Amino acid sequence: MSGRAPSRWGPRWSRHVGRFLAHVLWRTEVRGASSLPTSGPVIVVCNHVGLIDGPVLHGAIPRGSHFLIRSGMMTGALGVFLRAAQQIAVEGSGREALARGLAVLRRGDVVGVFPEGTRGGGTADAVHGGAAWLALQSGAPVVPTAIVGTRHTGESVNVWPRPGRRILVSFGTPIVLTPPAELRGGRAKQSWAAAQLAEALRTQVTRTLETTDLELPLDDPRRDGRAEQDVS
């Protein structure tokens, strides 16, 4: 599986748009940004709550980043922006997107992933294995990250919050997913890595919630049968 890395130019300008949204339009507190390596490949994994998680996190990461984004978002004016920003569209099985993400990591840059796969409650109860695969293939450290406040209970997963909304982004300690020597075969290693990543993300979300009065939404469109609202 091979792919071409998207241009670095997109994140260089688009992260400033994210910073404007995060810190001017909304009031975003960023914790732990200094824990992200300042150079070399990094995978940022984050829980997923609402529509604005991506741009807020893109602005909070202190380096340019390429996010894996479902192709449903790559339409209309927003699609034009995302493609110009050199974000990575996930289509079909996602193999091509993973290949492009791996090329970004091998180039020494940052890839962002929402491993829950869709917007919802943000508890990271169920995650997909793409980020774990990227970590195993690249050896890049993974930074578990929690985002809180982008959607409130009762709001649509597509909500665009009013100006001034309080948001918290909290970066955790980087981890390197090195499978135990006794594990044999790619599937066993992938399963182990996915479990480790999921646990690290859930732990980061839990610890973050313990230190803020902000809360995750109590409703989850996936759980409540409204997942069709989600287009990310």
Side-chain angles (χ1 to χ4, degrees):
M1 185 166 59
S2 62
R4 174 184 293 182
S7 169
R8 287 188 172 114
W9 171 245
R12 285 178 180 171
W13 64 264
S14 61
R15 66 184 294 260
H16 295 294
V17 177
R19 286 177 61 83
F20 174 85
L21 294 173
H23 298 291
V24 178
L25 185 61
W26 303 301
R27 293 183 295 143
T28 301
E29 177 186 358
V30 178
R31 300 177 183 173
S34 61
S35 68
L36 273 81
T38 58
S39 62
V42 179
I43 303 168
V44 176
V45 296
C46 187
N47 61 321
H48 205 5
V49 181
L51 176 66
I52 67 169
D53 294 348
V56 169
L57 187 56
H58 188 52
I61 295 172
R63 297 168 57 186
S65 56
H66 300 270
F67 276 78
L68 272 61
I69 301 175
R70 283 178 59 183
S71 58
M73 292 290 290
M74 300 291 193
T75 59
L78 178 59
V80 172
F81 175 84
L82 291 173
R83 292 184 187 280
Q86 296 294 299
Q87 303 305 297
I88 301 172
V90 180
E91 300 179 293
S93 66
R95 290 175 60 87
E96 178 61 25
L98 288 174
R100 298 189 72 199
L102 182 58
V104 169
L105 295 170
R106 286 176 171 168
R107 189 177 66 191
D109 291 329
V110 181
V111 170
V113 184
F114 293 103
E116 290 173 284
T118 186
R119 307 169 206 151
T123 54
D125 289 332
V127 301
H128 298 291
W133 183 87
L134 287 171
L136 288 178
Q137 296 298 316
S138 67
V142 178
V143 179
T145 305
I147 190 166
V148 189
T150 55
R151 184 174 74 85
H152 293 171
T153 301
E155 292 181 332
S156 165
V157 291
N158 298 319
V159 67
W160 186 265
R162 293 181 178 178
R165 168 74 60 94
R166 285 180 59 217
I167 298 170
L168 171 61
V169 173
S170 179
F171 297 103
T173 302
I175 61 173
V176 177
L177 299 178
T178 305
E182 62 269 21
L183 285 181
R184 302 294 181 182
R187 289 188 179 181
K189 293 178 181 179
Q190 172 69 25
S191 179
W192 176 88
Q196 294 296 308
L197 185 150
E199 179 61 27
L201 182 55
R202 284 192 291 266
T203 298
Q204 180 63 18
V205 171
T206 299
R207 289 176 176 172
T208 299
L209 291 173
E210 291 172 348
T211 63
T212 180
D213 60 342
L214 295 175
E215 299 178 340
L216 291 175
L218 298 177
D219 55 347
D220 186 337
R222 295 166 298 183
R223 182 190 62 209
D224 301 337
R226 295 184 287 115
E228 70 277 4
Q229 296 180 26
D230 186 8
V231 294
S232 69

